[in-house]
Amino acid sequence: QVRLVESGGGLVQAGGSLGLSCEVSGGTFSSRGMGWFRQTPGKEREFVAAINWSGGRTNYADSVKGRFTISRDNGKDTVYLQMNSLKPEDTAVYYCAADLSGLGDYRPRSYVYWGQGTQVTVSS
């Protein structure tokens, strides 16, 4: 059974930084594309960033491009999201997800495994 566990969320002031981690167990992490999504109450889950199986291709939402960086360590079965220059509108529950194709995609429906989420709150 594949399990994803996010960590690293918390409260930070606007302009600050946070790093999220997502450790994956129970599957072949190195073959999976990974994505980060976020959701606020009453809104649909929103794409943040994705990375393909090798880490050679990344994709970002326009709203986070230049501020967030996704990376992975296949030796540690972990994907990361470094968030800099945070804004109050980045406040959300952040989820990591794993696909089967290895491509890393912006569409939530491409992902079959999801973590439980971690809260990120950015104060103004």
Side-chain angles (χ1 to χ4, degrees):
Q1 182 178 355
V2 178
R3 184 166 179 244
L4 288 69
V5 179
E6 302 99 336
S7 60
L11 173 65
V12 64
Q13 287 189 333
S17 298
L18 273 179
L20 303 183
S21 299
C22 173
E23 185 172 359
V24 181
S25 60
T28 309
F29 176 78
S30 60
S31 69
R32 303 198 188 280
M34 299 296 298
W36 285 96
F37 294 80
R38 64 189 183 187
Q39 190 169 23
T40 54
K43 293 189 176 181
E44 293 187 356
R45 198 161 291 189
E46 174 191 25
F47 170 71
V48 176
I51 189 166
N52 75 334
W53 65 275
S54 69
R57 186 174 67 86
T58 58
N59 189 16
Y60 296 92
D62 287 343
S63 59
V64 306
K65 205 169 290 184
R67 300 188 297 122
F68 290 13
T69 302
I70 188 171
S71 61
R72 66 188 296 156
D73 185 337
N74 285 350
K76 295 183 178 180
D77 293 350
T78 301
V79 63
Y80 306 95
L81 184 69
Q82 179 62 39
M83 305 183 292
N84 298 328
S85 301
L86 283 161
K87 305 175 181 180
E89 52 263 44
D90 294 318
T91 296
V93 177
Y94 283 70
Y95 299 89
C96 69
D99 70 15
L100 293 177
S101 70
L103 298 177
D105 193 88
Y106 67 92
R107 296 167 294 185
R109 67 173 185 266
S110 298
Y111 295 83
V112 293
Y113 302 106
W114 293 83
Q116 82 289 349
T118 186
Q119 177 70 46
V120 171
T121 302
V122 184
S123 63
S124 57

